[in-house]
Amino acid sequence: MMKTAIRILVVEDDAQIRRFVCASLAADGYSVFEADTVARGLIEAASRQPELFIVDLGLPDRDGRELISELRAWTGAPVIVLSARDREEDKVAALDAGADDYLMKPFGVPELLARVRAQLRRSTLMASGEPAGIVTFGEVSVDLACREVRRQGKLVRLTPIEYRLLVALISGHGRVLTHRHLLLEVWGPNSAGRSHYLRIYMGNLRQKLEADPANPCHFITELSVGYRLVGLS
């Protein structure tokens, strides 16, 4: 798909920030549309059918999380939250509502564009039916059919829980997965409040699969929110 065909809707009530974001995206070749309220955002979303949304949480008519929840009723297009809210609860609530990423204000254009590209790649992978067969990141390949994990061609032994956590992260296609989501996915409904499980097993995966476990390139921590796996192909 040509970049010029990719439609992005920016829902932001601060006119200066909205113009800045729209101009940055347009300069990078995207087709950009804008709205300043939840009501207008829903109208634009229905008429424009964008491939990606950028949404502020502090909108004048309703909370941006409500917009995200309504979008999730009919579209799987990636949603990047752009917000000045820095509380852990706000980040988790937005991600649990269906957002795919959370970028704090103030922000830099290179980071915004990188987040957009990452979410569009993830969306393309999901549309193609991936993950399936063999997926790779860095020096690691994962054969999902055979349940085999290799690093630099050598078989790596993972425990059943380590493997389930790895598959959950792969299935996220690079999106931020909250602690709650991963605990439910890997350990089940009785695991709430046991986030220390995640710290232990994420540490194990880094030790086994990262070139430098102390400075991971693929198993990324989103502070107080969750984790993401980056670099999938």
Side-chain angles (χ1 to χ4, degrees), residues 2 8 15 32 38-39 47 51-52 54 63 84 95 103 122 135 137 140 154 160 168-169 171 196 201-202:
M2 294 290 291
I8 297 178
V32 188
V38 169
S47 61
E51 281 93 357
L52 184 138
I54 296 176
D63 193 281
L95 293 165
L103 184 59
R122 183 187 71 82
V135 297
F137 55 94
V140 178
K154 297 179 181 178
L169 290 163
S171 298
H196 61 286
Y201 282 94
M202 285 296 296

Side-chain angles (χ1 to χ4, degrees), residues 14-180:
D14 186 309
Q16 185 175 354
I17 294 176
R18 188 174 66 251
R19 285 195 296 268
F20 172 69
V21 172
C22 290
S24 300
L25 293 167
D28 208 45
Y30 298 103
S31 297
V32 188
F33 307 95
E34 58 185 91
D36 58 359
T37 63
V38 169
R40 189 67 215 173
L42 289 170
I43 292 170
E44 290 292 321
S47 61
R48 305 293 186 179
Q49 296 288 311
E51 281 93 357
L52 184 138
F53 298 87
I54 296 176
V55 177
D56 182 27
L57 295 181
L59 296 168
D61 54 343
R62 293 163 62 191
D63 193 281
R65 287 175 299 182
E66 296 181 46
L67 172 59
I68 296 168
S69 295
E70 293 199 30
L71 292 173
R72 281 290 166 259
W74 60 271
T75 179
V79 175
I80 299 175
V81 168
L82 198 61
S83 179
R85 298 181 188 175
D86 60 357
R87 295 190 312 158
E88 172 188 344
E89 303 85 48
D90 290 319
K91 295 178 183 179
V92 171
L95 293 165
D96 282 342
D100 298 279
D101 202 353
Y102 197 108
L103 184 59
M104 289 291 302
K105 300 175 183 175
F107 58 92
V109 171
E111 182 177 9
L112 172 63
L113 295 177
R115 301 277 186 117
V116 167
R117 289 192 297 270
Q119 290 304 322
L120 290 171
R121 284 195 301 270
R122 183 187 71 82
S123 181
T124 300
L125 281 171
M126 292 183 72
S128 67
E130 297 289 344
I134 298 176
V135 297
T136 63
F137 55 94
E139 302 172 331
V140 178
S141 65
V142 183
D143 189 326
L144 295 166
C146 298
R147 297 173 63 91
E148 285 187 351
V149 181
R150 295 180 181 273
R151 183 179 166 208
Q152 295 181 325
K154 297 179 181 178
L155 190 65
V156 178
R157 301 291 183 184
L158 299 183
T159 68
I161 289 178
E162 289 168 356
Y163 183 78
R164 286 204 299 274
L165 179 57
L166 175 60
V167 171
L169 290 163
I170 289 171
S171 298
H173 293 286
R175 69 175 292 195
V176 180
L177 301 178
T178 64
H179 296 136
R180 178 176 176 271

